């Protein structure tokens, strides 16, 4: 035995298999999607390939890690506290519930938990688009306490998504009002458009607003709302089929800019 061990991890929706020395240092990693083994030192190539042998399927490219792009270098220069990419779906709600979980017994479920459930469902679906050239950021903070629930960046452009828990309720949309079940109408579309406008200003690029209804019983939209896309969580893959707006280099550059917390301080 050469003492190497293989540790699987997930980074931004992509699986990587790291090859580690007994002391825990990484000397290589295998990117399944790219079919590439990246070596940090050529002297252990044979040992690395023997360790990865049971995990490799099909031909792979073996060599040193690719030279980082300007966007990747910008990401590496970020302080961890300023990097929004690690945010989990519903990050702000998770923090709020951790600080103030509320009473142990309630007559009605905490609405924050329903909202969190919706954001997690949408966020997980968006994260699965990562391999198709898209990047998703979650709970992007805006000055004043507001936030963008999800920001999606990819070949089809930029989208600011607002999620709405609507499980088993009928939803009626009459711009700018949104009515869920028997609740009072709320001018939610104004807030959805405002968040996208602020994102456009921060990124100096067009950001389209999207309202995502999570598990509604039915949706009624008498007249298409101005500028806002209305989707259910089951229709999110329609966004991934859009293309022809941004080149891969532009996607990476905008993602590097958007993940920096300081980008959002001026909006």
């Amino acid at each position: 035995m050469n003492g190497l061990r293989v540790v699987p991890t997930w980074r931004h929706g992509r699986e990587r298999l790291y090859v580690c020395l007994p002391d825990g240092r990484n000397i290589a990693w295998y990117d399944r999607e790219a079919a590439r083994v990246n070596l940090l030192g050529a002297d252990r190539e044979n040992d690395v390939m023997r360790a990865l042998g049971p995990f490799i399927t099909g031909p792979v490219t073996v060599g040193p890690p690719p030279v980082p792009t300007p966007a990747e270098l910008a990401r590496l220069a970020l302080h961890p506290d300023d990097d929004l990419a690690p945010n989990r779906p519903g990050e702000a709600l998770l923090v709020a519930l951790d600080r103030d979980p509320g009473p142990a017994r309630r007559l009605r479920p905490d609405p924050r938990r329903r909202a969190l459930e919706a954001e997690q469902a949408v966020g997980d679906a968006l994260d699965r688009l990562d391999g198709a050239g898209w990047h998703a950021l979650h709970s992007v903070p805006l000055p004043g306490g507001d936030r963008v629930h999800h920001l999606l960046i990819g070949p089809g452009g930029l989208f600011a998504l607002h999620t709405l828990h609507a499980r088993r309720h009928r939803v009626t949309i009459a711009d700018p009002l949104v009515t869920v079940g028997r609740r009072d109408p709320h001018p939610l579309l104004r807030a959805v458009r405002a968040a996208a406008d602020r994102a456009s200003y921060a990124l100096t690029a067009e950001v389209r607003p999207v309202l995502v209804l999570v598990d509604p019983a039915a949706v009624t939209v008498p007249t298409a709302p101005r500028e806002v896309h209305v989707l259910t969580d089951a229709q999110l893959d329609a966004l991934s089929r859009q293309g022809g707006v941004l080149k891969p280099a532009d996607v990476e550059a905008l993602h590097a800019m958007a993940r920096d917390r300081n980008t959002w301080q001026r909006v």
Side-chain angles (χ1 to χ4, degrees):
M1 299 292 291
N2 56 27
L4 301 181
R5 58 193 180 95
V6 178
V7 179
T9 64
W10 286 85
R11 291 175 59 85
H12 310 303
R14 297 179 65 167
E15 184 181 21
R16 283 185 176 180
L17 299 173
Y18 284 88
V19 182
C20 304
L21 293 169
D23 63 4
R25 287 180 297 149
N26 299 324
I27 62 171
W29 70 88
Y30 170 40
D31 187 331
R32 286 186 186 274
E33 185 171 320
R36 179 180 177 85
V37 177
N38 298 281
L39 298 169
L40 297 181
D43 56 321
R44 298 297 297 270
E45 179 177 346
N46 292 335
D47 291 339
V48 166
M49 297 308 293
R50 278 196 295 271
L52 288 173
F55 305 95
I56 293 177
T57 56
V60 296
T61 302
V62 180
V67 176
T69 65
E72 290 170 329
L73 290 174
R75 172 182 60 80
L76 292 171
L78 276 181
H79 188 281
D81 291 342
D82 291 330
D83 190 358
L84 300 176
N87 278 8
R88 299 161 292 179
E91 182 77 29
L93 291 170
L94 286 165
V95 172
L97 286 166
D98 183 60
R99 291 176 177 170
D100 177 20
R105 296 183 178 180
R106 301 175 59 102
L107 295 177
R108 295 182 178 180
D110 189 330
R112 295 177 300 172
R113 296 193 181 277
R114 292 198 299 265
L116 174 60
E117 179 184 326
E119 289 191 41
Q120 289 176 329
V122 172
D124 290 345
L126 296 178
D127 284 340
R128 289 194 291 270
L129 302 180
D130 189 88
W134 294 81
H135 296 296
L137 296 171
H138 310 291
S139 280
V140 177
L142 301 174
D146 292 331
R147 62 191 175 92
V148 176
H149 290 183
H150 313 278
L151 183 69
L152 185 65
I153 306 170
L158 296 92
F159 301 91
L161 293 86
H162 184 100
T163 65
L164 180 63
H165 185 281
R167 178 161 293 173
R168 299 175 184 172
H169 289 294
R170 298 182 63 89
V171 180
T172 301
I173 298 176
D175 194 2
L177 301 176
V178 176
T179 306
V180 179
R182 297 179 180 178
R183 301 177 208 163
D184 291 335
H186 180 69
L188 180 60
L189 296 189
R190 290 177 184 164
V192 176
R193 279 191 284 260
D197 287 344
R198 295 175 76 178
S200 296
Y201 181 83
L203 300 172
T204 62
E206 181 185 12
V207 178
R208 286 175 279 179
V210 180
L211 175 63
V212 184
L213 307 172
V214 177
D215 198 19
V219 181
T220 302
V221 187
T223 305
R226 178 176 56 86
E227 298 175 351
V228 179
H229 296 275
V230 178
L231 303 172
T232 67
D233 53 318
Q235 299 171 325
L236 283 172
D237 61 343
L239 294 178
S240 68
R241 293 195 291 269
Q242 300 190 40
V245 176
L246 296 176
K247 298 177 181 178
D250 296 328
V251 171
E252 296 302 323
L254 284 165
H255 179 237
M257 184 179 181
R259 67 189 295 173
D260 185 351
R261 186 182 301 273
N262 297 300
T263 298
W264 306 93
Q265 297 301 315
R266 59 177 186 269
V267 298

